[in-house]
Amino acid sequence: MSRIGKLPVAIPAGVTVSFENGVVTVKGAKGTLSQEIVGEIAVKVEGAEAHVVKLNESPALDAKHGLYRALLHNMVVGVSEGFKKTLKVHGVGWKVAKQGNKVVMNIGFSHPVEVVEPDGVKLECPSQTEIVVSGINKELVGQTAAVIRSYRKPEPYHGYGIAYSDEVIERKEGKTGGKGKK
């Protein structure tokens, strides 16, 4: 039995959770999210807690039990607080700017790179070297941040690249240029 699946999901004030026809819907101040639940799993709401329960015992359901509990928890947190990832841009002359519904990045290419905001995600540039990705869907926020980071992954020799604000890049020593053989 899944240890994570057994844990109840706390429902804060202002958030409603409903389960009908295999779809769990979570509504809150920031928006509405829904997730289809496949298999013999149900969501029961009791007071200020929601429980993900298995309707029978099988090894396949054990894996899904913890997964759907984690997804439900992320949905509840998303509609009440939201999710946010911050990216830092490191490079000489590199900068980012918000123009309308897209972020334009000058990151060492011969052309600027434009990233359009996907539905449900907000992109902000508080400074010329910072991008903030926020939204209510944790998966979509993480995927958008990963796509932006993939344009210039951080490299360990000079430290150039786009990195998460809490990411630690281990710096490597370059060539030492020792004496050659005679």
Side-chain angles (χ1 to χ4, degrees):
M1 185 167 201
S2 171
R3 285 184 277 176
I4 292 175
K6 288 191 283 187
L7 298 173
V9 177
I11 302 172
V15 176
T16 59
V17 176
S18 62
F19 179 71
E20 294 176 7
N21 301 326
V23 177
V24 64
T25 305
V26 180
K27 295 179 184 176
K30 293 190 178 263
T32 303
L33 292 172
S34 60
Q35 173 71 45
E36 182 180 356
I37 295 185
V38 180
E40 307 244 346
I41 293 179
V43 176
K44 295 186 179 174
V45 180
E46 299 167 355
E49 289 183 339
H51 297 273
V52 178
V53 293
K54 298 186 297 181
L55 301 178
N56 67 26
E57 293 293 325
S58 74
L61 279 184
D62 285 343
K64 291 179 182 177
H65 188 213
L67 167 74
Y68 287 126
R69 188 266 176 207
L71 291 175
L72 177 61
H73 177 262
N74 288 340
M75 290 166 60
V76 169
V77 171
V79 298
S80 60
E81 300 169 19
F83 293 100
K84 181 170 83 167
K85 287 203 177 262
T86 305
L87 299 160
K88 299 277 188 182
V89 178
H90 302 283
V92 176
W94 292 14
K95 60 184 178 179
V96 295
K98 175 97 187 247
Q99 292 180 355
N101 69 337
K102 62 186 173 185
V103 171
V104 179
M105 302 185 293
N106 293 314
I107 51 176
F109 294 123
S110 61
H111 60 283
V113 177
E114 296 180 353
V115 178
V116 179
E117 285 182 348
D119 291 338
V121 173
K122 185 175 182 189
L123 299 175
E124 298 172 358
C125 298
S127 71
Q128 287 188 341
T129 60
E130 197 173 19
I131 302 170
V132 177
V133 183
S134 59
I136 61 173
N137 188 336
K138 185 176 186 177
E139 181 182 2
L140 196 55
V141 168
Q143 182 64 37
T144 304
V147 167
I148 292 171
R149 181 182 180 273
S150 73
Y151 287 112
R152 282 288 193 165
K153 291 183 182 172
E155 58 94 19
Y157 293 100
H158 297 102
Y160 291 167
I162 301 172
Y164 297 111
S165 62
D166 57 350
E167 183 177 10
V168 176
I169 290 108
E170 299 237 355
R171 298 292 298 269
K172 292 184 179 177
E173 185 178 336
K175 293 182 180 179
T176 56
K179 295 181 181 179
K181 293 183 181 180
K182 291 187 179 181

